[in-house]
CSV table of all heavy atoms in Angstrom, one decimal:
chain,number,residue,atom,x,y,z
A,1,TRP,N,-3.3,11.0,17.5
A,1,TRP,CA,-4.2,10.7,16.4
A,1,TRP,C,-3.5,11.0,15.1
A,1,TRP,O,-3.8,10.3,14.1
A,1,TRP,CB,-5.5,11.4,16.5
A,1,TRP,CG,-5.3,12.9,16.5
A,1,TRP,CD1,-5.2,13.8,17.6
A,1,TRP,CD2,-5.3,13.8,15.4
A,1,TRP,NE1,-5.0,15.1,17.2
A,1,TRP,CE2,-5.1,15.1,15.8
A,1,TRP,CE3,-5.4,13.6,14.0
A,1,TRP,CZ2,-5.0,16.2,15.0
A,1,TRP,CZ3,-5.3,14.7,13.2
A,1,TRP,CH2,-5.1,16.0,13.7
A,2,GLU,N,-2.6,12.0,15.1
A,2,GLU,CA,-1.9,12.3,13.8
A,2,GLU,C,-1.0,11.2,13.4
A,2,GLU,O,-0.9,10.8,12.3
A,2,GLU,CB,-1.2,13.6,14.0
A,2,GLU,CG,-0.6,14.2,12.8
A,2,GLU,CD,0.1,15.6,13.1
A,2,GLU,OE1,-0.4,16.4,13.9
A,2,GLU,OE2,1.1,15.8,12.4
A,3,GLN,N,-0.3,10.7,14.4
A,3,GLN,CA,0.7,9.6,14.1
A,3,GLN,C,-0.1,8.3,13.7
A,3,GLN,O,0.4,7.6,12.7
A,3,GLN,CB,1.5,9.2,15.4
A,3,GLN,CG,2.6,10.2,15.7
A,3,GLN,CD,3.7,10.2,14.7
A,3,GLN,OE1,3.5,10.0,13.5
A,3,GLN,NE2,4.9,10.4,15.2
A,4,LYS,N,-1.2,8.0,14.3
A,4,LYS,CA,-2.0,6.9,13.9
A,4,LYS,C,-2.5,7.1,12.4
A,4,LYS,O,-2.5,6.1,11.7
A,4,LYS,CB,-3.2,6.7,14.8
A,4,LYS,CG,-2.7,6.2,16.2
A,4,LYS,CD,-3.9,6.0,17.1
A,4,LYS,CE,-3.5,5.5,18.5
A,4,LYS,NZ,-4.6,5.3,19.4
A,5,GLY,N,-2.9,8.3,12.1
A,5,GLY,CA,-3.4,8.6,10.8
A,5,GLY,C,-2.3,8.4,9.7
A,5,GLY,O,-2.5,7.8,8.7
A,6,LEU,N,-1.1,8.9,10.1
A,6,LEU,CA,0.1,8.7,9.2
A,6,LEU,C,0.4,7.2,9.0
A,6,LEU,O,0.7,6.8,7.9
A,6,LEU,CB,1.3,9.5,9.7
A,6,LEU,CG,1.2,11.0,9.6
A,6,LEU,CD1,2.4,11.6,10.3
A,6,LEU,CD2,1.2,11.4,8.2
A,7,GLU,N,0.4,6.5,10.0
A,7,GLU,CA,0.7,5.0,9.9
A,7,GLU,C,-0.3,4.3,9.1
A,7,GLU,O,0.0,3.5,8.3
A,7,GLU,CB,0.8,4.4,11.3
A,7,GLU,CG,1.2,3.0,11.3
A,7,GLU,CD,2.5,2.6,10.5
A,7,GLU,OE1,3.4,3.5,10.5
A,7,GLU,OE2,2.6,1.6,9.9
A,8,LYS,N,-1.6,4.7,9.3
A,8,LYS,CA,-2.7,4.0,8.5
A,8,LYS,C,-2.5,4.3,7.1
A,8,LYS,O,-2.6,3.5,6.2
A,8,LYS,CB,-4.0,4.5,9.0
A,8,LYS,CG,-5.2,3.8,8.3
A,8,LYS,CD,-6.5,4.2,8.8
A,8,LYS,CE,-7.6,3.4,8.0
A,8,LYS,NZ,-8.9,3.9,8.2
A,9,GLY,N,-2.1,5.6,6.8
A,9,GLY,CA,-1.9,6.0,5.4
A,9,GLY,C,-0.7,5.2,4.8
A,9,GLY,O,-0.8,4.8,3.6
A,10,ARG,N,0.3,5.0,5.5
A,10,ARG,CA,1.5,4.2,5.1
A,10,ARG,C,1.1,2.8,4.8
A,10,ARG,O,1.5,2.2,3.8
A,10,ARG,CB,2.6,4.3,6.1
A,10,ARG,CG,3.3,5.6,6.1
A,10,ARG,CD,4.5,5.5,7.1
A,10,ARG,NE,5.0,6.8,7.4
A,10,ARG,CZ,4.9,7.5,8.5
A,10,ARG,NH1,4.3,6.8,9.6
A,10,ARG,NH2,5.3,8.7,8.7
A,11,GLN,N,0.3,2.2,5.7
A,11,GLN,CA,-0.1,0.8,5.5
A,11,GLN,C,-1.0,0.7,4.3
A,11,GLN,O,-0.8,-0.3,3.5
A,11,GLN,CB,-0.9,0.3,6.7
A,11,GLN,CG,0.0,0.1,7.9
A,11,GLN,CD,-0.8,-0.2,9.2
A,11,GLN,OE1,-2.1,-0.2,9.2
A,11,GLN,NE2,-0.1,-0.6,10.3
A,12,GLU,N,-1.9,1.6,4.1
A,12,GLU,CA,-2.7,1.6,2.9
A,12,GLU,C,-1.9,1.7,1.6
A,12,GLU,O,-2.2,1.1,0.6
A,12,GLU,CB,-3.8,2.6,3.0
A,12,GLU,CG,-4.9,2.3,4.0
A,12,GLU,CD,-5.8,3.5,4.2
A,12,GLU,OE1,-5.7,4.6,3.6
A,12,GLU,OE2,-6.7,3.3,5.1
A,13,GLY,N,-0.9,2.6,1.7
A,13,GLY,CA,0.0,2.8,0.5
A,13,GLY,C,0.8,1.5,0.2
A,13,GLY,O,0.9,1.1,-1.0
A,14,ARG,N,1.3,0.8,1.2
A,14,ARG,CA,2.0,-0.5,1.0
A,14,ARG,C,1.1,-1.5,0.5
A,14,ARG,O,1.4,-2.3,-0.4
A,14,ARG,CB,2.6,-0.9,2.3
A,14,ARG,CG,3.9,-0.1,2.7
A,14,ARG,CD,4.6,-0.7,3.9
A,14,ARG,NE,3.9,-0.8,5.1
A,14,ARG,CZ,3.9,0.2,6.0
A,14,ARG,NH1,4.7,1.3,5.8
A,14,ARG,NH2,3.2,0.1,7.1
A,15,GLN,N,-0.2,-1.5,0.9
A,15,GLN,CA,-1.2,-2.5,0.4
A,15,GLN,C,-1.4,-2.2,-1.1
A,15,GLN,O,-1.4,-3.2,-1.9
A,15,GLN,CB,-2.5,-2.3,1.2
A,15,GLN,CG,-3.6,-3.2,0.8
A,15,GLN,CD,-3.4,-4.7,1.2
A,15,GLN,OE1,-2.4,-5.1,1.8
A,15,GLN,NE2,-4.4,-5.5,1.0
A,16,GLU,N,-1.6,-1.0,-1.5
A,16,GLU,CA,-1.8,-0.6,-2.9
A,16,GLU,C,-0.6,-1.0,-3.7
A,16,GLU,O,-0.8,-1.5,-4.9
A,16,GLU,CB,-2.1,0.8,-3.0
A,16,GLU,CG,-3.6,1.2,-2.7
A,16,GLU,CD,-4.6,0.4,-3.6
A,16,GLU,OE1,-4.4,0.4,-4.8
A,16,GLU,OE2,-5.6,-0.1,-3.0
A,17,GLU,N,0.6,-0.8,-3.2
A,17,GLU,CA,1.8,-1.2,-3.9
A,17,GLU,C,1.8,-2.7,-4.2
A,17,GLU,O,2.2,-3.2,-5.2
A,17,GLU,CB,3.1,-0.8,-3.1
A,17,GLU,CG,3.3,0.7,-3.2
A,17,GLU,CD,4.5,1.1,-2.3
A,17,GLU,OE1,5.1,0.2,-1.7
A,17,GLU,OE2,4.7,2.3,-2.2
A,18,ARG,N,1.5,-3.5,-3.1
A,18,ARG,CA,1.4,-5.0,-3.3
A,18,ARG,C,0.4,-5.4,-4.4
A,18,ARG,O,0.7,-6.2,-5.2
A,18,ARG,CB,1.0,-5.7,-2.0
A,18,ARG,CG,2.1,-5.7,-0.9
A,18,ARG,CD,1.5,-6.4,0.3
A,18,ARG,NE,2.5,-6.5,1.4
A,18,ARG,CZ,2.5,-5.8,2.4
A,18,ARG,NH1,1.7,-4.8,2.6
A,18,ARG,NH2,3.5,-6.0,3.4
A,19,ILE,N,-0.8,-4.8,-4.3
A,19,ILE,CA,-1.8,-5.1,-5.3
A,19,ILE,C,-1.3,-4.8,-6.7
A,19,ILE,O,-1.5,-5.6,-7.6
A,19,ILE,CB,-3.1,-4.3,-4.9
A,19,ILE,CG1,-3.7,-4.9,-3.6
A,19,ILE,CG2,-4.1,-4.3,-6.1
A,19,ILE,CD1,-4.8,-4.0,-3.0
A,20,HIS,N,-0.8,-3.6,-6.8
A,20,HIS,CA,-0.3,-3.1,-8.2
A,20,HIS,C,0.8,-4.1,-8.7
A,20,HIS,O,0.8,-4.5,-9.8
A,20,HIS,CB,0.3,-1.7,-8.1
A,20,HIS,CG,0.8,-1.2,-9.4
A,20,HIS,ND1,0.1,-0.9,-10.4
A,20,HIS,CD2,2.1,-1.1,-9.7
A,20,HIS,CE1,0.9,-0.5,-11.4
A,20,HIS,NE2,2.1,-0.6,-11.0
A,21,LEU,N,1.7,-4.5,-7.8
A,21,LEU,CA,2.8,-5.4,-8.2
A,21,LEU,C,2.3,-6.7,-8.6
A,21,LEU,O,2.7,-7.2,-9.7
A,21,LEU,CB,3.8,-5.5,-7.0
A,21,LEU,CG,5.0,-6.5,-7.3
A,21,LEU,CD1,5.8,-6.1,-8.5
A,21,LEU,CD2,5.8,-6.7,-6.0
A,22,LEU,N,1.4,-7.3,-7.8
A,22,LEU,CA,0.9,-8.6,-8.2
A,22,LEU,C,0.1,-8.6,-9.5
A,22,LEU,O,0.3,-9.4,-10.3
A,22,LEU,CB,0.0,-9.1,-7.0
A,22,LEU,CG,-0.7,-10.5,-7.3
A,22,LEU,CD1,0.4,-11.6,-7.6
A,22,LEU,CD2,-1.5,-10.9,-6.0
A,23,LEU,N,-0.8,-7.6,-9.6
A,23,LEU,CA,-1.5,-7.5,-10.9
A,23,LEU,C,-0.6,-7.3,-12.1
A,23,LEU,O,-0.9,-7.8,-13.2
A,23,LEU,CB,-2.6,-6.4,-10.8
A,23,LEU,CG,-3.7,-6.6,-9.8
A,23,LEU,CD1,-4.6,-5.4,-9.7
A,23,LEU,CD2,-4.6,-7.8,-10.3
A,24,ARG,N,0.4,-6.6,-11.9
A,24,ARG,CA,1.4,-6.3,-13.0
A,24,ARG,C,2.1,-7.7,-13.4
A,24,ARG,O,2.2,-8.0,-14.6
A,24,ARG,CB,2.4,-5.3,-12.6
A,24,ARG,CG,3.3,-4.8,-13.7
A,24,ARG,CD,4.1,-3.6,-13.3
A,24,ARG,NE,5.0,-3.3,-14.4
A,24,ARG,CZ,6.0,-2.5,-14.2
A,24,ARG,NH1,6.2,-1.9,-13.1
A,24,ARG,NH2,6.8,-2.3,-15.2
A,25,ILE,N,2.5,-8.4,-12.4
A,25,ILE,CA,3.1,-9.7,-12.7
A,25,ILE,C,2.1,-10.6,-13.4
A,25,ILE,O,2.5,-11.3,-14.4
A,25,ILE,CB,3.6,-10.4,-11.4
A,25,ILE,CG1,4.8,-9.6,-10.8
A,25,ILE,CG2,4.1,-11.8,-11.6
A,25,ILE,CD1,5.2,-10.0,-9.4
A,26,LEU,N,0.9,-10.7,-12.9
A,26,LEU,CA,-0.1,-11.6,-13.4
A,26,LEU,C,-0.4,-11.2,-14.9
A,26,LEU,O,-0.6,-12.0,-15.7
A,26,LEU,CB,-1.3,-11.6,-12.6
A,26,LEU,CG,-1.2,-12.2,-11.2
A,26,LEU,CD1,-2.5,-12.1,-10.4
A,26,LEU,CD2,-0.8,-13.7,-11.4
A,27,GLN,N,-0.5,-9.9,-15.2
A,27,GLN,CA,-0.8,-9.4,-16.5
A,27,GLN,C,0.3,-9.8,-17.5
A,27,GLN,O,0.0,-10.0,-18.7
A,27,GLN,CB,-1.1,-7.9,-16.5
A,27,GLN,CG,-2.5,-7.7,-15.9
A,27,GLN,CD,-2.7,-6.2,-15.6
A,27,GLN,OE1,-1.8,-5.4,-15.5
A,27,GLN,NE2,-4.0,-5.8,-15.3
A,28,ARG,N,1.5,-9.8,-17.0
A,28,ARG,CA,2.6,-10.2,-17.9
A,28,ARG,C,2.6,-11.7,-18.2
A,28,ARG,O,2.9,-12.2,-19.3
A,28,ARG,CB,4.0,-9.9,-17.2
A,28,ARG,CG,4.3,-8.4,-17.0
A,28,ARG,CD,4.9,-7.8,-18.1
A,28,ARG,NE,6.0,-8.5,-18.7
A,28,ARG,CZ,7.1,-8.0,-19.2
A,28,ARG,NH1,7.2,-6.7,-19.2
A,28,ARG,NH2,8.0,-8.7,-19.6
């Protein structure tokens, strides 16, 4: 369960990075 939690956290972090990157490009 600890490994699954860590992986879920990593996936959510990558998702937030994608969102931030796209919004930054669009705002430029």
Side-chain angles (χ1 to χ4, degrees):
W1 61 268
E2 189 175 323
Q3 286 291 35
K4 288 180 183 180
L6 288 172
E7 182 56 32
K8 183 177 181 190
R10 286 185 194 110
Q11 288 173 353
E12 289 172 358
R14 287 190 294 269
Q15 178 78 354
E16 282 300 314
E17 287 174 3
R18 285 179 177 103
I19 290 167
H20 177 75
L21 176 61
L22 179 55
L23 290 173
R24 190 168 175 195
I25 292 168
L26 292 176
Q27 288 167 344
R28 296 274 312 216

